Amino acid sequence: GNDRTMILSHGEIARAGNNVVLTWSGGGSQDPPEPTEPVVETPKPGVGNGPVFTVPFTAEAMEYSGYRELDNGEPGDCSDGNVDSWFLSGEAKNDCQSDCAIGWTTKDEYMEYDFETAGAMRVQVTARVASKDRKKFKMQLVGEDAGSGNINTPGGGWNAYKERTWDLDVSSGKHTLRVLFMEGAMNFCSVSVKQLGAGATEPSPDDVTPPPPPPPGPAPTFTVPFAADALDYTGFSDVDKSFGNCNDGNVDAMTLPDSSKNSCQSDCIIGWTSPKEYVEYAFRAESKSTIQVSAYVASDLDKTKEFRLELVGESKSAVLKTPGAGWFTFEARTWKVDVEQGDYVLRVVFLDGLTNLCSVDVD
């Protein structure tokens, strides 16, 4: 038929009376099929057993509704067979409000948590994260046009958990919050969602411990004369979350280029400012005097922006303009003001936004 048989005899095989028989199908000189590469499947997203939460809530890391796990590394002693996790203890457990933390994360893994809202509202999402070095992650609402942008972990150690927040508007209904580990090598222990503004649920009086009476004023950080790096602030208002590689989780900041460090005497600058955002610096004047405030600012080329220097609670302020010589071309803008002996808070208000600030001096 179409089978071909070849009998080979050779040396010791022939003398032993053994034959080697090779048989293949097909006609003529048909070649055997080419070998194929094995198909490697990317792990598919998985489903968890987490509930559908109602705002406000705090979800432990392992109360997830969906996940993507991309490696087969160390599962940890709190693993459920899906994601890598281990038990928390001590201070980390208290900070996290969770029994376990998810760790050994790799790039593009994620966790998801379902929640619902009774109506449209503005909410704040708080993720508690830790890492050895700063790593980027994102928070998103799956299938919705809502994302936090890049957020940096604190980078203070594997068990040094810190909160990172994201404020956003949500519609009524069910949502899926995704925490995406963009670089991996970070730990994640819990996530909370609460309502902001009017309509926010207040805890009952029985659940509230009365706070201690407030001090008479902000505790001074600086004494005149002083030079403050931009991130040496004692108060702030940040309405958006662009972040940057030098942010501290509160305000948007980036590493200062070496070429600008001489004029700023600072390692980082505050940037991506929006209109009416501000930073504050508390200080003490030891005597009655006229002080000079110098803010080192920059803005896009040929685009000057207005900002205001003011003493909080005092009727003293000055509106100034940035030089508009380039994002990293910092120049001092100065304001002289009379002060009495006492404590003050200097506020730098970005009236137009789109202004970079690297340091503040008071002489």
Side-chain angles (χ1 to χ4, degrees):
N2 289 328
D3 290 345
R4 299 290 183 267
T5 301
M6 177 183 294
I7 300 176
L8 305 176
S9 297
H10 184 274
E12 296 296 326
I13 295 177
R15 283 195 293 274
N18 295 323
N19 294 318
V20 178
V21 180
L22 301 178
T23 303
W24 65 92
S25 299
S29 59
Q30 180 178 348
D31 294 329
E34 291 289 331
T36 59
E37 293 291 332
V39 176
V40 179
E41 294 187 359
T42 300
K44 297 179 180 179
V47 178
N49 296 317
V52 177
F53 294 94
T54 301
V55 176
F57 70 88
T58 294
E60 297 187 23
M62 297 298 288
E63 293 182 307
Y64 59 87
S65 58
Y67 71 95
R68 180 163 63 188
E69 176 78 17
L70 298 178
D71 66 334
N72 294 313
E74 174 64 48
D77 56 9
C78 193
S79 173
D80 58 357
N82 295 328
V83 298
D84 304 330
S85 181
W86 77 95
F87 286 105
L88 292 169
S89 62
E91 185 176 349
K93 183 175 180 178
N94 294 333
D95 291 342
C96 287
Q97 306 172 52
S98 177
D99 291 327
C100 302
I102 289 172
W104 295 285
T105 55
T106 61
K107 183 178 183 293
D108 292 333
E109 291 184 344
Y110 62 72
M111 307 304 300
E112 293 177 341
Y113 303 86
D114 291 339
F115 70 95
E116 59 185 1
T117 54
M121 63 181 67
R122 187 163 183 81
V123 299
Q124 181 175 86
V125 183
T126 302
R128 297 169 186 88
V129 294
S131 59
K132 181 181 178 182
D133 303 305
R134 287 189 175 183
K135 298 295 180 181
K136 290 183 175 64
F137 72 102
K138 285 184 178 180
M139 293 187 279
Q140 306 166 324
L141 293 187
V142 178
E144 303 181 43
D145 187 18
S148 66
N150 293 344
I151 305 176
N152 282 338
T153 61
W158 293 116
N159 287 311
Y161 289 91
K162 299 293 183 183
E163 295 184 346
R164 294 295 183 258
T165 61
W166 171 39
D167 298 350
L168 71 154
D169 296 311
V170 296
S171 59
S172 176
K174 184 178 177 181
H175 309 274
T176 297
L177 170 66
R178 176 178 292 172
V179 181
L180 173 63
F181 310 119
M182 298 183 63
E183 296 181 297
M186 61 173 285
N187 297 339
F188 165 65
C189 65
S190 65
V191 64
S192 302
V193 179
K194 68 178 182 180
Q195 184 178 358
L196 296 176
T201 302
E202 296 293 337
S204 66
D206 292 339
D207 296 332
V208 177
T209 300
T221 299
F222 299 99
T223 300
V224 178
F226 68 87
D229 288 359
L231 288 177
D232 288 335
Y233 61 85
T234 52
F236 72 95
S237 173
D238 193 305
V239 301
D240 64 348
K241 297 295 179 186
S242 299
F243 291 104
N245 63 0
C246 199
N247 92 89
D248 58 358
N250 294 327
V251 299
D252 308 324
M254 72 193 85
T255 304
L256 185 65
D258 290 338
S259 60
S260 300
K261 286 185 178 179
N262 289 335
S263 58
C264 285
Q265 303 177 33
S266 176
D267 292 327
C268 299
I269 61 175
I270 290 174
W272 294 285
T273 53
S274 296
K276 303 301 177 63
E277 289 184 343
Y278 63 78
V279 284
E280 296 175 340
Y281 305 88
F283 69 92
R284 179 172 182 79
E286 295 289 5
S287 61
K288 179 179 179 180
S289 62
T290 299
I291 61 172
Q292 176 172 284
V293 180
S294 299
Y296 290 82
V297 293
S299 58
D300 199 6
L301 188 63
D302 296 327
K303 295 180 180 179
T304 60
K305 300 295 179 181
E306 288 191 341
F307 67 100
R308 183 172 66 240
L309 299 177
E310 62 187 34
L311 296 183
V312 178
E314 309 279 337
S315 299
K316 298 177 179 180
S317 65
V319 175
L320 306 170
K321 289 188 177 182
T322 62
W327 287 116
F328 299 110
T329 305
F330 289 89
E331 295 182 12
R333 293 295 183 261
T334 61
W335 171 46
K336 290 185 177 181
V337 58
D338 295 329
V339 296
E340 303 289 332
Q341 179 183 8
D343 300 333
Y344 295 89
V345 174
L346 171 67
R347 178 179 290 173
V348 184
V349 185
F350 307 109
L351 298 174
D352 293 331
L354 298 176
T355 297
N356 291 346
L357 172 71
C358 66
S359 61
V360 175
D361 296 353
V362 177
D363 298 306

